[in-house]
Amino acid sequence: MRKLILILVFVLVGATQLHLTAQELYVFSDPASNVPSKSLSVKYGSKWINGDMLGTRMIMSRHMGEASIGLNKKWMIRPGVTFSDMYTNRVVKWESVSLYTKFRFYSQDEVHRHFRAAAFVKALYSSNDLEYDELNSDGDQSVIQGGVILTQLINKLAISSTLALTEVTNGERWKKYLGPRDFGYRSFNYSVSAGYLLYPREYSSYKQTNFNIAILKLI
């Protein structure tokens, strides 16, 4: 089933490049650029949903932690971990561990603009059994995901597109069952993101705070 999500967010982050007039900033997706070489970036995110557990309505959550490490200007890695109570009875427990790596294989840089392309692979092991037919790389299933990212920066506007193939690797996938299984095991995903730098109009210090507006479309 196709899903369409339109998200409008305002984000505050620290400035990292003085010579740029825009930031490639995406909250729910990656640009083709990597984190700077020999740097460390830590990110925390969470999801909160209304659900039903044994006939009782409740709010369930997932907590996601990631650490992006720049190996050099072309390679980066990102180990991650999630904790959740989506598959337990109101008890937040360790859920999954993952490793993401990205290689920037093309870059065309000009004044106030650039175009970059990167390939990525993400492997995730989840402790969950297959219970839902929604495929993702957030922690619901054990998966391998790979794809490409294309990013165009023009002055203060950055536009990025991601194309990815997700493959479920849970052992249950290859077991023979007496009845039919309604779960999907493979999905093709794409997203289009846009970020626009509102403030500052010009950088004068590494300590300046950025004010951005970002839009994400997932299908």
Side-chain angles (χ1 to χ4, degrees), residues 12-199:
L12 296 175
V13 298
T16 59
Q17 300 278 345
L18 287 180
H19 64 279
L20 292 180
T21 59
Q23 291 273 327
E24 293 177 3
L25 176 66
Y26 306 98
V27 181
F28 298 102
S29 65
D30 266 343
S33 299
N34 294 329
V35 295
S37 177
K38 298 180 177 59
S39 67
L40 173 66
S41 173
V42 179
K43 177 182 176 181
Y44 164 80
S46 63
K47 292 183 177 181
W48 303 80
I49 64 172
N50 289 318
D52 189 296
M53 181 69 68
L54 301 177
T56 302
R57 299 293 297 176
M58 58 182 294
I59 296 178
M60 298 180 289
S61 64
R62 170 173 289 133
H63 306 272
M64 302 166 285
E66 298 176 337
S68 298
I69 304 169
L71 302 180
N72 52 50
K73 66 179 182 180
K74 291 189 176 182
W75 283 99
M76 65 165 281
I77 60 173
R78 178 186 297 143
V81 64
T82 69
F83 295 84
S84 173
D85 61 357
M86 293 182 178
Y87 294 82
T88 60
N89 189 12
R90 300 188 181 184
V91 179
V92 177
K93 295 183 178 180
W94 170 82
E95 180 183 48
S96 72
V97 62
S98 64
L99 180 63
Y100 171 100
T101 182
K102 182 170 60 174
F103 174 68
R104 194 186 75 195
F105 60 85
Y106 180 81
S107 181
Q108 182 181 15
D109 296 329
E110 302 176 20
V111 178
H112 302 315
R113 66 170 57 203
H114 67 235
F115 175 78
R116 291 175 180 173
F120 71 92
V121 175
K122 180 177 182 179
L124 182 144
Y125 172 77
S126 174
S127 62
N128 298 322
D129 296 325
L130 296 178
E131 295 186 19
Y132 304 104
D133 58 0
E134 179 184 0
L135 273 66
N136 60 59
S137 60
D138 293 339
D140 289 292
Q141 309 101 355
S142 297
V143 300
I144 293 180
Q145 185 182 66
V148 295
I149 308 171
L150 309 174
T151 300
Q152 176 71 64
L153 174 68
I154 304 174
N155 294 322
K156 297 183 178 184
L157 174 66
I159 302 173
S160 189
S161 178
T162 300
L163 308 175
L165 182 66
T166 302
E167 192 84 19
V168 173
T169 60
N170 284 61
E172 300 169 65
R173 171 178 176 175
W174 291 277
K175 290 183 178 180
K176 294 183 180 180
Y177 293 86
L178 297 178
R181 298 281 283 175
D182 295 328
F183 299 111
Y185 300 118
R186 181 182 296 117
S187 68
F188 175 76
N189 313 98
Y190 69 87
S191 68
V192 178
S193 306
Y196 187 81
L197 177 67
L198 299 178
Y199 178 85

